[in-house]
Amino acid sequence: MPTISNYNQFTGRHWETGSVRNFFAQRDFSAPHTGQPYSEAFLLGASGGVVMGYFTFLYEGYDPQCNILTRNTFDPLDKMLSRLGVVQNLKQTAKPQRAVDIVVDTLEGGQPAIVWADMWSLPYNALPADEGMWGAFPLVVYGYEPAEDTVTIADRAGAPLTVTFEEFAAARGRIKKIKNRLLTLEAPVEEKLASAVRLGICDTIQLYTEKPPKGSKNNFGLNAYQFWAKMLTSPKQRLSWEKQFPAGRPMYAGLTSAYNFAFLFGKGAAQDAERGTYADFLNEAAILLDLPALNEAAEKFRTAATAWQQLTGFLLPDDVQPFGESRELMLRKHTLFLERGGAALEEIEAINGRLDEISAAMEDDFPLTQEEVEAFRERLAEQILVIHDVEATAVQALQDATA
């Protein structure tokens, strides 16, 4: 049975741009403006680039959650591929055996397969079993071996990941809409690259400065920074942190979820909300479009990257224990997965156990008084507004460069 023996692409870090980057590189599709495989930075830019998104969720039976979006989430995969002129060979079936046959046929044809799988159903993600939680993302399959009952996967980690046939089938089949979906891709069309870059930059500017395609204007772009800061410092507001994330376990949950989504979820190791990656895209775009001014915008986004990195210490500071310990543990877990994948599962599960202990302790042993909580939120809001000001300058530079 098939395994692509020369598969060696594990650089991609986000499910969408990373999986496409890995697939393109394995197929030896090279970018004409660099002579190298298409970078994940370039694909991020073409898909719509970066943004600021602020959302809070309160579901019964779960800790409250603060979700910080750092990249365009409005159909980025389809946008990226269609803008680049990529022919998508999509197959999907409701029949389990046919789903297996399609994977096998794809691998026997010499191509890896991009498939969608529920992350809660894949053991290497070390997520607790929960019928109420699901999330399907694309990943790359390059081995399917019945003799070993092993499916071999490239999924964000810098090392191969393996699951059993049963685990793989369950993860692919859990969500009806994308059940057993499989995708292979043709090469980007060189003549469309410049247009794809321009459209991607336009998306970024619009999401920062204009009303979003869906949702409130307070949830996206420069407005979102101001709204988040206001919710931190205006306790009487309906959606304030005082009401949604009061002192105790809710506040801890809000801070750790904000840290996770801004700096770890689908990210590399830089902890900069992907602003450094976007700056890399702008450097490539400057070459492709022959627009040197984009290099100046890139430097502005690198400044924003530094401001975001500094935010980590405001969300979970070392001088408030166990906030600092939690940040270190979350980053350690993330780094272990990126570096070692499933081989680090035992250590990752131990970290999860410690994080659960800390979370439970927040109910009765919260480290801040109410007065200290208010001062904490003020400091956090100030850093959020620092990022707002830096990114306003960066977006203006982007507008000026492409005017």
Side-chain angles (χ1 to χ4, degrees):
M1 295 296 283
T3 292
I4 298 176
S5 59
N6 68 341
Y7 186 90
N8 60 358
Q9 300 300 326
F10 301 97
T11 302
R13 290 294 173 260
H14 188 270
W15 293 276
E16 293 169 340
T17 53
S19 293
V20 172
R21 181 262 164 223
N22 288 344
F23 184 96
F24 281 177
Q26 183 65 26
R27 294 292 311 279
D28 292 322
F29 299 159
S30 295
H33 58 286
T34 65
Q36 301 295 320
Y38 286 89
S39 69
E40 188 166 4
F42 181 82
L43 298 174
L44 168 63
S47 73
V50 292
V51 73
M52 165 59 177
Y54 172 80
F55 294 86
T56 58
F57 301 97
L58 284 76
Y59 297 123
E60 185 176 354
Y62 295 91
D63 288 332
Q65 177 177 296
C66 177
N67 189 333
I68 304 301
L69 304 181
T70 61
R71 59 166 59 199
N72 189 328
T73 58
F74 293 101
D75 299 317
L77 181 62
D78 286 340
K79 278 185 179 180
M80 169 179 61
L81 296 176
S82 62
R83 286 171 176 175
L84 295 172
V86 174
V87 174
Q88 303 180 53
N89 305 305
L90 184 65
K91 297 180 180 180
Q92 189 167 0
T93 178
K95 299 178 180 179
Q97 185 56 51
R98 178 58 182 154
V100 172
D101 293 342
I102 292 172
V103 172
V104 171
D105 290 347
T106 301
L107 299 181
E108 286 183 340
Q111 293 193 78
I114 297 175
V115 305
W116 277 254
D118 171 51
M119 66 185 302
W120 264 265
S121 304
L122 298 169
Y124 59 72
N125 286 318
L127 294 170
D130 189 333
E131 289 299 321
M133 299 297 290
W134 55 269
F137 298 99
L139 48 82
V140 176
V141 172
Y142 66 94
Y144 196 92
E145 295 292 346
E148 291 82 22
D149 187 21
T150 297
V151 181
T152 315
I153 295 168
D155 177 15
R156 296 163 291 130
L161 299 162
T162 58
V163 296
T164 66
F165 284 6
E166 182 179 0
E167 292 162 347
F168 182 61
R172 293 190 71 200
R174 187 178 181 198
I175 302 167
K176 184 177 180 180
K177 183 177 180 180
I178 51 82
K179 184 175 183 177
N180 298 328
R181 179 180 294 179
L182 182 148
L183 179 68
T184 60
L185 305 171
E186 305 302 324
V189 177
E190 291 187 11
E191 292 77 12
K192 294 198 172 189
L193 300 190
S195 174
V197 165
R198 289 188 179 277
L199 289 170
I201 290 173
C202 183
D203 279 348
T204 295
I205 294 171
Q206 289 178 342
L207 278 174
Y208 268 105
T209 61
E210 300 178 13
K211 190 178 185 300
K214 295 180 182 179
S216 167
K217 66 178 183 180
N218 288 329
N219 292 127
F220 285 97
L222 297 174
N223 286 331
Y225 292 109
Q226 296 173 324
F227 184 70
W228 186 8
K230 182 178 180 180
M231 293 306 98
L232 285 164
T233 57
S234 302
K236 294 184 179 180
Q237 293 286 326
R238 181 176 63 88
L239 300 178
S240 71
W241 271 58
E242 178 63 28
K243 293 182 178 180
Q244 293 194 306
F245 304 101
R249 182 164 176 160
M251 181 175 172
Y252 175 79
L255 295 171
T256 52
S257 57
Y259 174 73
N260 176 53
F261 283 108
F263 301 108
L264 307 180
F265 188 75
K267 311 290 197 300
Q271 292 196 96
D272 65 355
E274 302 180 284
R275 270 44 181 180
T277 302
Y278 190 67
D280 291 341
F281 158 70
L282 292 177
N283 290 145
E284 287 194 46
I287 297 170
L288 186 63
L289 301 180
D290 192 22
L291 279 178
L294 287 173
N295 291 318
E296 299 175 19
E299 289 309 305
K300 301 293 185 183
F301 276 98
R302 293 193 200 285
T303 301
T306 299
W308 274 98
Q309 289 168 337
Q310 293 167 344
L311 182 66
T312 64
F314 286 86
L315 284 168
L316 296 168
D318 290 330
D319 61 358
V320 180
Q321 286 300 342
F323 288 6
E325 180 188 358
S326 297
R327 190 188 77 252
E328 291 177 358
L329 288 171
M330 293 171 72
L331 179 58
R332 174 64 178 159
K333 181 174 69 168
H334 183 63
T335 303
L336 283 169
F337 178 78
L338 292 182
E339 293 178 350
R340 296 170 51 200
L345 185 58
E346 184 175 347
E347 190 171 349
I348 288 172
E349 289 177 336
I351 291 173
N352 283 340
R354 174 56 184 154
L355 288 170
D356 288 342
E357 291 176 358
I358 294 173
S359 180
M362 292 296 99
E363 296 180 5
D364 301 315
D365 190 23
F366 194 67
L368 301 174
T369 66
Q370 183 60 32
E371 183 179 356
E372 290 169 336
V373 165
E374 293 170 5
F376 182 102
R377 292 193 301 232
E378 289 281 354
R379 291 192 297 271
L380 178 56
E382 288 173 3
Q383 181 60 23
I384 290 166
L385 293 178
V386 167
I387 300 174
H388 167 277
D389 293 347
V390 171
E391 295 211 335
T393 301
V395 172
Q396 185 62 57
L398 200 55
Q399 289 175 307
D400 293 344
T402 54

